[in-house]
Amino acid sequence: MRSSTWPHCPTPRPPSCAATRSGYVSQFLRPQPRRSVISIVASAGVARGKDRADAREAAAAALRQVAIAEHLWDMHATVLSGGQKQRVNIAAGTIAPPRLLLDEPVSALDPANRAAVLDLIARLEETGTAVLSVFHDLDAIERLATRVVVLGGGRVLATGAPGDILHDPNLPLEVAR
């Protein structure tokens, strides 16, 4: 039996099924103590329906994409730097989701890793992944966005093409360059 509101789900249990179909990358990784980097990322693959071996392979590929060195994979994630934790979080979020929600994905990254992660996000569109991102970084918005939504006071103030929205002097934009 398929849910009529969640046609991709085998049962009418949207929350758990929705989690298998969406990735989420928060601004901060809050890893469980004594869990290795590879196990954190692989568990995201298992949660999205991959068997453990496939999830581990996908985790390794995702960690390579965000430049986490292999010698760090078996370390506890709690000992990583802030930027490394953020990249681990991005790796976990990008394992095969058709939809991905990103909250300030490059906020704690140095310039080289910021560029690599922005490249990864840009490549996700080529795979058919729908990406919704929260950014306060004008350069990232201009580079990645196909549509910009400006929120204020709990409502939508404007929506449109990045070139139109980002250069509108009448909008209260709080972004960084």
Side-chain angles (χ1 to χ4, degrees), residues 129-145:
T129 301
V131 179
L132 175 65
S133 300
V134 175
F135 281 107
H136 294 277
D137 178 329
L138 187 57
D139 291 330
I141 295 168
E142 287 179 326
R143 178 175 172 192
L144 297 172

Side-chain angles (χ1 to χ4, degrees), residues 16-30:
S16 61
C17 189
T20 67
R21 304 287 297 169
S22 300
Y24 172 66
V25 176
S26 68
Q27 189 171 356
F28 305 105
L29 173 67
R30 292 178 183 87

Side-chain angles (χ1 to χ4, degrees), residues 81-126:
S81 72
Q84 289 169 327
K85 287 178 186 175
Q86 192 166 17
R87 288 183 287 139
V88 168
N89 210 14
I90 291 165
T94 58
I95 293 182
R99 292 182 300 262
L100 182 60
L101 175 60
L102 303 170
D103 178 16
E104 292 289 335
V106 296
S107 64
L109 301 181
D110 61 70
N113 284 309
R114 177 187 177 281
V117 168
L118 290 176
D119 288 343
L120 171 63
I121 295 168
R123 286 193 310 270
L124 288 172
E125 183 177 292
E126 297 168 11

Side-chain angles (χ1 to χ4, degrees), residues 19-114:
T20 67
R21 304 287 297 169
S22 300
Y24 172 66
V25 176
S26 68
Q27 189 171 356
F28 305 105
L29 173 67
R30 292 178 183 87
Q32 296 173 348
R34 295 175 300 284
R35 290 220 33 222
S36 70
V37 167
I38 191 85
S39 71
I40 289 170
V41 178
S43 68
V46 171
R48 292 195 190 102
K50 292 185 174 291
D51 66 44
R52 291 197 184 281
D54 288 344
R56 189 165 176 93
E57 283 181 34
L63 288 166
R64 285 185 191 100
Q65 283 190 319
V66 296
I68 296 293
E70 284 192 45
H71 73 273
L72 299 175
W73 294 4
D74 289 323
M75 293 182 69
H76 295 158
T78 54
V79 302
L80 300 178
S81 72
Q84 289 169 327
K85 287 178 186 175
Q86 192 166 17
R87 288 183 287 139
V88 168
N89 210 14
I90 291 165
T94 58
I95 293 182
R99 292 182 300 262
L100 182 60
L101 175 60
L102 303 170
D103 178 16
E104 292 289 335
V106 296
S107 64
L109 301 181
D110 61 70
N113 284 309
R114 177 187 177 281

Side-chain angles (χ1 to χ4, degrees), residues 163-177:
D164 298 336
I165 298 298
L166 298 177
H167 302 289
D168 185 337
N170 299 314
L171 290 173
L173 300 179
E174 296 178 21
V175 294
R177 255 261 185 234

